[in-house]
């Protein structure tokens, strides 16, 4: 079933935060730079912060994304997303299988779900996902447990579901063109934006290359 919670065009260039690349800057600073460059969606991904610090940081980023009219979601932490009234969450298969994510968040919030097979994709759609994050589509160093997803599987997932699909994992300026023809609606990246010296410029170039691969 198609949802109206998130528009395909919002998912074109999806930035996932990572404090590893901050080099003395704040997360808010680097996210602002990526928004200036044209990022269309932001996910806050924090694995090691305590809830209080996480919530504070999330609120700052939420206010920033609102200024730019860009959707802002939280990775995994449904309770924090509810507490701060974020635009939504991105969860893994096991989190979504609990089935209560939608009940906790309410009908008008965005739920993104990671998927690696057509079966997982269809199940996530059935359980109320608004979009899918599929990958890793290229080898990646940022997630230890990310299995590779072939471009054939990626294409099969895009054909099987009615909801938008975002490719994730190891995507960079030099290989984004290889995703052309798979049917994706956008890409999700970390280091291709946040590890770059000039974040606004890198974002702008990557967005242009993604448009060519998607449209």
């Amino acid at each position: 079933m198609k949802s109206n919670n998130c528009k395909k065009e919002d998912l074109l260039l999806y930035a996932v935060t990572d404090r590893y690349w901050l080099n003395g800057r704040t997360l808010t600073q680097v996210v602002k730079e990526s928004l200036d460059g044209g990022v269309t969606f932001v996910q806050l991904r924090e694995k090691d912060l305590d809830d209080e610090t996480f919530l504070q940081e999330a609120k700052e980023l939420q206010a920033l994304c609102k200024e730019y009219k860009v959707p802002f979601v939280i990775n995994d932490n449904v309770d924090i997303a509810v507490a701060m009234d974020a635009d939504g969450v991105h969860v893994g298969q096991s989190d979504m299988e609990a089935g209560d994510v939608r009940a906790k968040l309410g009908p008008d919030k965005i739920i993104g779900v990671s998927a690696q097979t057509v079966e997982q994709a269809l199940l996530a759609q059935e359980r109320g996902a608004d979009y899918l994050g599929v990958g890793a589509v290229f080898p990646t160093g940022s997630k230890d447990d990310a299995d590779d997803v072939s471009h054939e599987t990626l294409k099969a997932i895009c054909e099987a579901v009615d909801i938008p699909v975002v490719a994730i994992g190891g995507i960079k300026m030099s290989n984004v063109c290889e995703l052309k023809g798979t049917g994706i609606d956008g890409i999700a990246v970390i280091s291709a934006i946040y590890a770059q010296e000039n974040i606004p410029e890198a974002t702008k170039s990557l967005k242009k290359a993604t448009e060519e691969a998607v449209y």
Side-chain angles (χ1 to χ4, degrees), residues 5-113:
N5 294 348
C6 91
K7 303 194 288 287
K8 282 187 175 191
E9 54 269 28
D10 288 341
L11 295 160
L12 180 71
L13 186 52
Y14 184 134
V16 182
T17 68
D18 186 348
R19 56 183 46 254
Y20 178 79
W21 307 105
L22 289 180
N23 296 326
R25 296 167 300 172
T26 68
L27 204 57
T28 307
Q29 279 173 323
V30 298
V31 171
K32 183 180 187 311
E33 286 182 20
S34 68
L35 287 162
D36 286 336
V39 155
T40 59
F41 202 103
V42 174
Q43 178 194 129
L44 174 60
R45 183 166 180 258
E46 287 289 6
K47 297 296 181 189
D48 307 312
L49 284 189
D50 62 88
D51 278 0
E52 198 180 327
T53 315
F54 189 151
L55 188 58
Q56 183 55 44
E57 184 179 81
K59 282 180 172 171
E60 280 176 31
L61 289 181
Q62 180 184 35
L64 182 64
C65 289
K66 267 199 175 121
E67 270 178 52
Y68 285 80
K69 297 185 171 55
V70 164
F72 172 71
V73 300
I74 303 286
N75 179 276
D76 279 347
N77 199 322
V78 179
D79 294 333
I80 284 212
V82 172
M84 62 170 296
D85 197 26
D87 293 321
V89 291
H90 186 92
V91 294
Q93 278 292 315
S94 53
D95 305 294
M96 193 59 184
E97 278 166 21
D100 59 355
V101 177
R102 176 62 72 200
K104 276 186 179 178
L105 281 180
D108 58 343
K109 296 294 185 186
I110 300 167
I111 298 179
V113 181

Side-chain angles (χ1 to χ4, degrees), residues 101-177:
V101 177
R102 176 62 72 200
K104 276 186 179 178
L105 281 180
D108 58 343
K109 296 294 185 186
I110 300 167
I111 298 179
V113 181
S114 300
Q116 293 180 319
T117 64
V118 170
E119 291 72 24
Q120 287 178 350
L122 288 168
L123 189 62
Q125 175 174 268
E126 194 185 309
R127 296 222 159 112
D130 294 300
Y131 74 87
L132 300 171
V134 176
V137 295
F138 296 106
T140 169
S142 62
K143 206 173 176 197
D144 308 331
D145 58 351
D147 296 323
D148 290 352
V149 172
S150 71
H151 294 181
E152 291 72 31
T153 300
L154 177 62
K155 194 168 194 277
I157 289 172
C158 291
E159 286 167 359
V161 297
D162 297 324
I163 54 178
V165 173
V166 177
I168 189 166
I171 303 170
K172 45 188 185 274
M173 192 63 197
S174 59
N175 62 17
V176 65
C177 58

